[in-house]
């Protein structure tokens, strides 16, 4: 495999922890009880696991997996559902937790299929947002950091399945 290690740190581990704690407090203030959190695998696994550790009170969790990038750094615009939820969303206060919103196509697809399952409320939290890349206007209620058009890895995000374990967000030169 070509070694394309992150060339620099965009968001440090300390900045991530501070911001995720703020988001958890904001979300909990809006939804003090019975929040049902859905993490979108694989990219959101680290964000979700830190987010819920900063939350008091009751939280339930479920996972789904989608694929939008086959390999590398370019998008096909095509979204595939790889793993569906285990639990029903009927009448629940649901929060989708995503790693990054880029073109917005993945999130639009997810919101559409989840809204059809009759949650009482459906909101979305994204760790990162790249507004300059948006192709569709999609609602994101909680955003961790807004970033420029860079390809980023770490804190759950990969390049060809590598670097998800980094505790910070790094830049990959494309
Ligand atoms: P969208 O459908 O919004 O274009 O893309 C969303 C998905 O593309 C994200 O969930 C993520 O998996 C992937 N993605 C978009 N930008 C980046 C990036 O900078 N780095 C990585 N690793 N994945 C990205």
């Amino acid at each position: 495999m070509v070694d394309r290690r992150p060339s620099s740190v965009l968001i440090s581990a300390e900045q991530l922890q501070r911001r995720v704690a703020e988001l958890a407090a904001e979300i909990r203030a809006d939804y003090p009880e019975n929040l049902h959190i859905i993490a979108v695998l694989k990219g959101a696994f680290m964000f979700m696991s830190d987010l819920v550790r900063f939350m008091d009170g009751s939280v339930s969790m479920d996972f789904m997996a989608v694929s939008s990038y086959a390999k590398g750094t370019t998008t096909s615009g095509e979204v595939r559902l790889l793993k569906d939820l285990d639990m029903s969303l009927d009448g629940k206060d649901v929060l989708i937790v995503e790693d990054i919103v880029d073109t917005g196509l993945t999130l639009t697809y997810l919101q559409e299929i989840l809204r059809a399952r009759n949650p009482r409320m459906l909101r979305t939290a994204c760790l990162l947002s790249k507004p300059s890349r948006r192709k569709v206007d999609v609602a994101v209620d909680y955003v961790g950091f807004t970033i420029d058009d860079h390809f980023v890895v770490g804190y759950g995000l990969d390049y060809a399945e590598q670097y998800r374990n980094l505790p910070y967000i790094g830049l990959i030169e494309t």
Side-chain angles (χ1 to χ4, degrees):
M1 198 188 90
V2 188
D3 188 6
R4 300 180 76 177
R5 285 181 176 284
S7 53
S8 58
V9 176
L10 184 67
I11 306 169
S12 70
E14 293 73 24
Q15 285 173 295
L16 285 168
Q17 292 301 306
R18 214 176 309 127
R19 184 69 187 123
V20 173
E22 282 173 7
L23 284 175
E26 205 182 315
I27 293 164
R28 197 79 274 192
D30 292 346
Y31 298 96
E33 277 309 315
N34 299 324
L35 193 58
H36 187 63
I37 301 189
I38 294 172
V40 185
L41 298 173
K42 301 174 191 171
F45 85 95
M46 210 176 273
F47 177 35
M48 137 110 60
S49 90
D50 280 343
L51 191 69
V52 296
R53 274 182 282 189
F54 287 118
M55 282 185 182
D56 295 326
S58 68
V59 172
S60 52
M61 283 167 257
D62 206 346
F63 299 88
M64 66 194 305
V66 295
S67 160
S68 46
Y69 277 47
K71 200 178 174 195
T73 62
T74 50
T75 181
S76 60
E78 192 184 305
V79 182
R80 280 189 305 144
L81 182 59
L82 303 178
K83 183 216 172 290
D84 205 344
L85 298 171
D86 293 336
M87 284 173 265
S88 155
L89 301 186
D90 197 25
K92 292 186 178 143
D93 287 344
V94 174
L95 180 73
I96 304 172
V97 172
E98 249 288 36
D99 51 1
I100 184 164
V101 55
D102 186 26
T103 63
L105 293 167
T106 308
L107 194 53
T108 301
Y109 167 80
L110 284 173
Q111 289 180 347
E112 272 169 19
I113 63 167
L114 298 185
R115 202 169 285 120
R117 298 178 188 191
N118 295 318
R120 196 166 75 102
M121 177 287 288
L122 184 67
R123 286 203 169 179
T124 305
C126 283
L127 180 69
L128 305 171
S129 173
K130 291 194 234 179
S132 65
R133 297 254 314 156
R134 213 67 98 238
K135 285 189 183 155
V136 284
D137 192 18
V138 63
V140 185
D141 307 282
Y142 307 95
V143 175
F145 300 87
T146 297
I147 63 169
D148 292 334
D149 183 11
H150 302 297
F151 192 80
V152 292
V153 294
Y155 200 68
L157 288 151
D158 76 311
Y159 175 75
E161 293 302 328
Q162 295 298 303
Y163 313 126
R164 293 192 196 275
N165 57 316
L166 299 176
Y168 58 87
I169 299 285
L171 292 183
I172 293 263
E173 304 297 337
T174 54

